[in-house]
Amino acid sequence: MERRVVITGLGIVAPNGVGLGDFRSALKEGRSGIKFDQQLADLHFSCQVSGTPPINKDTLNQYFTDLELRNFSSTGIMYGVIAGLDAWKDAGLEISQDENPDWDSGTIFGAGTSGIEKFRESIYKIDALQTRRLGSTAVSQTMNSGISAYLGGKLGLGNQVTTNSSACTTGTESILMAFERIKAGKAKRILAGSTSDSGPYIWAGFDAIKVCNYKSNDRPEKASRPMSASAAGFVPGSGAGALVIEDLESALARNAKIYCEILGGNLNSGGQRGGGSMTAPNSTAVQKCVEDAILESGIEANDIDYISGHLTATSKDSTEIQNLAEALQRSGRDFPYINSLKAVTGHCLSAAGSIEAVATVLQLSENFIAPTSNCEDLNPEISAIIDADCIPMKLLEKDINIAAKVSFGFGDVNGCVIFKKYSNSN
Amino acid sequence: MNRDEAIQKLKAIVKPYVKNGAALETINETTDFINDLNINSANLVDVILDVEEVFDIEIDADSMEKMRDVKSALAVIEEKLAAK
């Protein structure tokens, strides 16, 4: 029998807020986490602003032992462990000290690349003929599954422990993979989420292809401009988002707080055909992804109240709006509310989907729509499709019943997940 | 350097990796790194790198294999120091 699937815990490490309370107020205030980045300037990057989460030593000591922090330089694992353990705690779950693993719980925690700083250190040592001096954690910090391995060990997880990777769709994909496993009855709960490293070595490739905004280095908070006529590329960001996804029966049995239900979703690829490429989505596939997500969720396109857009602040934003309008067959004022978190976090790459999903769940469960900053000069190609009122520029208190989170990534991959406010009557 | 001094130096090196603090307090030549101090076997590599740094010696792969307890570690350290 198929199970109903709900979200019972959230954890977040975002450029504009670490921890749920801080992130919630940042969301409501439209507070930006984008700052001038001296390291990028020193390395002569074109774009010299970034969204890097503020993590201090005291915070780290709450999540890692001194031994773990020796020679530790994987920021992605750092963010992912903090967000993951926070979500676990938020769900009211204990960290098991039992000798036996928890066979019912697993993690699907995605990443783009792990420990690129550690890789850099290691490569220098190897080339200096000092391979033997790499230390014991060069592998665990740089294997892509490092983050799920760290979380699995800290929580004693005995169900599936894995890392998915699908560029900017990663976080949305991890949620849907967890959803499917729980729906099929193969796990009671999965810690789903995704993370991304910080720093020049993760961001350089994007700077090189000039997809980042290099025109606003002196105005960091104005640099990320999704849906704006003056959008000039994304701002690189990083962080992690985590969600405890659980079988409804198990959540009810332990009297857990329920943020919302996951109705369904869809993952697909445009195959880099029909206008799709390594870097651009095939519009037909994007529309099919959203249509299939609606179909699977058993709702109508008209039921969607709010969309958390992918909307990165490149020239593709208007194409995304066009695709969504066509998939939903809704335009003008009939279009749902939509916003882009990237205005205040930058584009957190492999972490983007989960960070934005955490924001989506907060907005849905607490009845507000966060403002999108920096789009006062709305792109006329967008206002030709949907009414400007669909894009709140100030905090909007609004009852949302059904929300969609969409993500699109390099490699022409798409994800769409549908969340619904929980009610016991189905 | 006498044996007691060397043991004290070794004690400071292994301290961050030790999971059994009581056994560390009574560390002596018969103490086994993994069985008595509960040091994670992967961390033994880190212990040896730290030994190299503190004693300013280089420990080859064959010698590394032998360093399972305090006594054998001291023997390797003394041998390398003498060869300097």
Side-chain angles (χ1 to χ4, degrees):
Chain A
M1 191 190 92
E2 288 194 351
R3 317 293 175 101
R4 285 175 74 185
V5 181
V6 294
I7 295 177
T8 55
L10 299 174
I12 185 88
V13 174
N16 62 340
V18 175
L20 220 44
D22 194 23
F23 182 65
R24 177 192 288 110
S25 51
L27 263 185
K28 290 188 165 179
E29 293 161 19
R31 191 170 79 220
S32 176
I34 295 167
K35 295 193 165 58
F36 180 71
D37 191 322
Q38 188 60 50
Q39 195 185 5
L40 301 186
D42 291 345
L43 289 166
H44 297 194
F45 272 50
S46 300
C47 173
Q48 301 174 356
V49 295
S50 74
T52 301
I55 301 285
N56 61 35
K57 189 84 178 73
D58 283 348
T59 306
L60 277 182
N61 287 335
Q62 292 168 34
Y63 298 86
F64 294 93
T65 65
D66 286 347
L67 182 56
E68 285 171 325
L69 290 173
R70 283 170 77 101
N71 304 315
F72 187 75
S73 53
S74 172
T75 48
I77 292 176
M78 221 175 256
Y79 305 147
V81 164
I82 295 172
L85 295 188
D86 278 2
W88 200 252
K89 195 173 157 197
D90 184 52
L93 295 161
E94 307 269 322
I95 294 185
S96 160
Q97 303 302 332
D98 200 324
E99 260 307 298
N100 293 312
D102 173 0
W103 305 116
D104 295 325
S105 303
T107 186
I108 300 176
F109 217 97
T113 288
S114 185
I116 201 156
E117 292 278 348
K118 189 74 189 170
F119 242 124
R120 178 175 183 268
E121 284 169 35
S122 302
I123 285 167
Y124 276 108
K125 279 193 178 133
I126 295 160
D127 286 350
L129 310 180
Q130 296 202 313
T131 299
R132 55 187 297 278
R133 299 199 68 82
L134 291 186
S136 65
T137 60
V139 176
S140 50
Q141 286 190 59
T142 60
M143 61 187 196
N144 207 29
S145 59
I147 178 55
S148 51
Y150 269 81
L151 284 169
K154 284 180 178 290
L155 296 172
L157 304 177
N159 205 281
Q160 185 180 18
V161 168
T162 190
T163 288
N164 63 306
S165 191
S166 53
C168 312
T169 307
T170 300
T172 301
E173 181 178 75
S174 66
I175 293 168
L176 280 171
M177 289 168 77
F179 166 77
E180 282 161 11
R181 191 168 173 87
I182 295 167
K183 190 170 80 166
K186 292 182 179 175
K188 278 188 184 167
R189 70 187 64 81
I190 304 261
L191 177 58
S194 63
T195 191
S196 175
D197 277 356
S198 286
Y201 308 103
I202 204 89
W203 295 326
F206 299 100
D207 200 69
I209 56 173
K210 299 284 179 276
V211 291
C212 300
N213 182 2
Y214 56 91
K215 296 173 180 166
S216 303
N217 291 336
D218 54 342
R219 289 159 294 157
E221 296 188 2
K222 296 283 171 199
S224 183
R225 313 184 63 77
M227 295 183 280
S228 150
S230 49
F234 73 75
V235 169
S238 56
L243 307 95
V244 174
I245 299 181
E246 191 162 356
D247 182 335
L248 175 64
E249 207 172 287
S250 149
L252 291 175
R254 63 185 193 85
N255 205 18
K257 156 185 67 188
I258 294 173
Y259 281 100
C260 67
E261 180 166 4
I262 302 177
L263 292 181
N266 192 251
L267 298 161
N268 77 3
S269 168
Q272 301 179 39
R273 300 286 189 275
S277 69
M278 180 60 81
T279 55
N282 170 341
S283 289
T284 307
V286 167
Q287 292 174 29
K288 181 171 164 48
C289 180
V290 175
E291 288 162 7
D292 288 351
I294 289 169
L295 202 63
E296 192 198 74
S297 301
I299 60 165
E300 304 287 333
N302 280 328
D303 296 332
I304 295 176
D305 301 307
Y306 159 74
I307 300 172
S308 169
H310 185 61
L311 300 168
T312 60
T314 63
S315 57
K316 297 280 183 251
D317 287 359
S318 58
T319 310
E320 179 177 333
I321 299 288
Q322 178 70 38
N323 283 331
L324 291 171
E326 286 189 27
L328 302 181
Q329 293 289 301
R330 293 170 67 182
S331 58
R333 187 59 202 94
D334 180 45
F335 195 78
Y337 286 104
I338 188 164
N339 61 8
S340 173
L341 186 70
K342 293 184 180 76
V344 284
T345 59
H347 187 348
C348 300
L349 305 174
S350 51
S354 61
I355 287 176
E356 289 157 15
V358 168
T360 305
V361 171
L362 277 180
Q363 293 172 88
L364 172 67
S365 64
E366 297 177 13
N367 296 317
F368 68 95
I369 297 170
T372 299
S373 312
N374 303 330
C375 65
E376 303 79 12
D377 57 334
L378 196 60
N379 183 337
E381 290 175 21
I382 290 175
S383 50
I385 308 165
I386 64 171
D387 197 288
D389 287 345
C390 301
I391 307 163
M393 295 185 204
K394 285 188 184 141
L395 174 66
L396 185 66
E397 306 279 351
K398 189 84 195 170
D399 193 5
I400 312 171
N401 189 41
I402 294 187
K405 167 73 211 130
V406 292
S407 291
F408 312 110
F410 269 26
D412 201 2
V413 289
N414 310 305
C416 175
V417 55
I418 309 283
F419 302 107
K420 182 178 185 289
K421 197 166 264 154
Y422 172 70
S423 74
N424 54 13
S425 59
N426 200 356
Chain B
M1 181 171 18
N2 67 33
R3 281 238 149 171
D4 282 342
E5 280 171 21
I7 289 179
Q8 289 313 309
K9 270 193 172 179
L10 206 52
K11 183 179 173 184
I13 290 169
V14 298
K15 187 163 189 272
Y17 306 101
V18 168
K19 289 198 195 103
N20 182 352
L24 182 67
E25 283 319 306
T26 58
I27 188 169
N28 59 60
E29 288 199 19
T30 65
T31 306
D32 184 278
F33 293 134
I34 293 176
N35 295 327
D36 296 327
L37 299 180
N38 295 348
I39 294 178
N40 176 316
S41 58
N43 282 140
L44 271 186
V45 171
D46 302 306
V47 169
I48 288 160
L49 292 178
D50 293 351
V51 165
E52 289 190 322
E53 214 159 282
V54 169
F55 289 93
D56 191 24
I57 53 176
E58 195 163 306
I59 299 170
D60 54 280
D62 287 343
S63 302
M64 265 172 88
E65 294 259 314
K66 292 182 206 150
M67 297 171 68
R68 314 301 292 184
D69 53 40
V70 171
K71 191 175 180 182
S72 57
L74 291 175
V76 169
I77 291 167
E78 281 164 5
E79 181 200 334
K80 299 294 173 191
L81 282 174
K84 269 175 78 169

